[in-house]
Amino acid sequence: MDSLAQQLADLQPAVPEVTRIQLQQLVQECQTQFNRVSPYHDHAIAQVLASLNQNNTSEQVSAAKSWLILAFLQQHLAQMFSTAYPQGIQAEFRRQIERICQFVVTSQWQDYAPDVFYKDLALARLKLFPAGPALVDCYSGISLRQGLSLDIRQSWRFIRLLQQLGGRVGYYQTHVHLPLLPAFDHNGWQHAYQLIAEMLKQYPSIKGVFSVSWLRDPQLAEISPHLAYLNQGLIELGAQAFYCGIDTSGDALVKSRHRQQLFQQGKYQPQRVLLIWPKAALLRWAVLA
């Protein structure tokens, strides 16, 4: 962790002074609120970085992005390793800080999808916390459009669940993150849910955890059996699934020729599914797991 200050100093000559002043102001002003729903892709930061793209070289922009992430990490370092987080989450933070510091030395942000940068930035800002193969939004909300459907039975089940849980805001939300794919397996997700359970114990106002993804689609059990573990047994453990409609992102087809072929043959249509695992049910599982 001592390398953070040194890396910031090493990056400084590559970041124009005017840019650095803008970024320093962002670090001072951009505070995460832990009781309000907001996107991890922060609009104010995105606007500043968009202006940087117009006035700097790609190497300068990459250096500025690295400087910004390291500055946020340095600002929040003490909190990451405080009693605000259980020991397991602190260990995850340590691993992710080491990963980001190594990335800054060896890679350029423009070689990756923008989402990779914004998720790492959100981690540095404490908007997201790490849990095995996932990054988890510290305070998120469920859109009514995600669960309401022309299927009256689903809509009724969705509304009743939100009523039982006490509303649609105040949840953890899991996100897939490309640099964490090496931990993306059954054991990794079991570990992730155990870590989330520890956070739920420490922050009882959080109502549960949810995700919205094609990865939660039950038809994967037949189409991609190696991914069945993502949903297998969770319904029996108290989670509830709600269809959100067709997934148009293309993500379901990127890494699987088999799914591509089925899609082209009209035998597979990726679906976005909202999976909600209420706090009480997840904590019961964590005790027995």
Side-chain angles (χ1 to χ4, degrees):
M1 303 307 168
D2 295 337
S3 65
L4 276 176
Q6 184 59 54
Q7 283 188 284
L8 278 167
D10 292 342
L11 280 168
Q12 188 161 311
V15 182
E17 184 178 1
V18 174
T19 297
R20 195 168 63 253
I21 292 172
Q22 285 182 291
L23 299 182
Q24 286 172 334
Q25 187 173 359
L26 275 180
V27 174
Q28 293 169 359
E29 295 179 354
C30 192
Q31 300 296 324
T32 298
Q33 296 187 33
F34 295 91
N35 59 354
R36 184 172 65 86
V37 177
S38 61
Y40 67 79
H41 187 293
D42 185 83
H43 298 307
I45 293 176
Q47 287 179 345
V48 171
L49 294 180
S51 68
L52 298 185
N53 287 327
Q54 298 174 359
N55 303 316
N56 297 277
T57 66
S58 60
E59 289 76 15
Q60 287 174 323
V61 171
S62 185
K65 288 180 174 180
S66 294
W67 190 95
L68 184 62
I69 284 184
L70 294 180
F72 271 117
L73 284 174
Q74 187 178 54
Q75 182 185 61
H76 294 131
L77 202 60
Q79 189 171 350
M80 289 175 178
F81 299 102
S82 72
T83 55
Y85 295 98
Q87 289 294 320
I89 298 294
Q90 292 184 35
E92 293 288 315
F93 268 124
R94 185 176 299 278
R95 279 190 284 271
Q96 297 313 310
I97 292 170
E98 292 172 353
R99 173 185 63 79
I100 291 171
C101 287
Q102 181 63 29
F103 180 96
V104 165
V105 172
T106 61
S107 304
Q108 298 287 318
W109 290 106
Q110 61 264 30
D111 295 334
Y112 294 82
D115 191 62
V116 173
F117 166 74
Y118 280 105
K119 282 178 178 172
D120 275 343
L121 181 62
L123 179 73
R125 293 173 46 231
L126 300 184
K127 171 61 178 166
L128 305 178
F129 64 84
L135 294 181
V136 186
D137 197 313
C138 68
Y139 193 90
S140 189
I142 300 167
S143 169
L144 291 176
R145 290 180 295 179
Q146 291 171 331
L148 293 179
S149 166
L150 293 176
D151 182 340
I152 300 301
R153 288 175 296 181
Q154 169 170 305
S155 295
W156 170 246
R157 186 165 54 87
F158 176 65
I159 292 171
R160 184 173 58 182
L161 178 63
L162 293 186
Q163 288 176 336
Q164 291 171 349
L165 296 178
R168 62 186 185 88
V169 299
Y171 295 82
Y172 291 145
Q173 179 181 3
T174 61
H175 299 277
V176 174
H177 189 35
L178 183 62
L180 305 186
L181 287 184
F184 197 101
D185 57 24
H186 180 266
N187 290 335
W189 277 99
Q190 293 282 301
H191 180 56
Y193 287 131
Q194 287 285 1
L195 292 172
I196 291 171
E198 291 301 311
M199 288 290 287
L200 289 171
K201 292 175 189 175
Q202 188 156 330
Y203 298 95
S205 63
I206 300 296
K207 301 174 176 67
V209 61
F210 78 94
S211 61
V212 185
S213 174
W214 65 271
L215 289 165
R216 299 305 183 180
D217 188 349
Q219 64 181 319
L220 288 180
E222 181 177 348
I223 291 172
S224 297
H226 65 289
L227 295 176
Y229 70 87
L230 288 167
N231 305 306
Q232 206 165 41
L234 292 186
I235 302 300
E236 289 78 6
L237 292 170
Q240 292 197 38
F242 305 91
Y243 281 96
C244 301
I246 295 173
D247 181 88
T248 59
S249 68
D251 293 345
L253 309 178
V254 171
K255 293 184 176 295
S256 171
R257 183 173 298 176
H258 177 60
R259 289 195 295 272
Q260 289 176 12
Q261 291 173 341
L262 291 178
F263 176 76
Q264 292 166 358
Q265 295 166 5
K267 297 179 180 179
Y268 169 56
Q269 177 62 68
Q271 299 284 332
R272 284 169 58 82
V273 172
L274 164 66
L275 187 77
I276 305 173
W277 199 354
K279 175 178 61 179
L282 195 158
L283 291 178
R284 283 196 299 270
W285 165 83
V287 171
L288 299 174

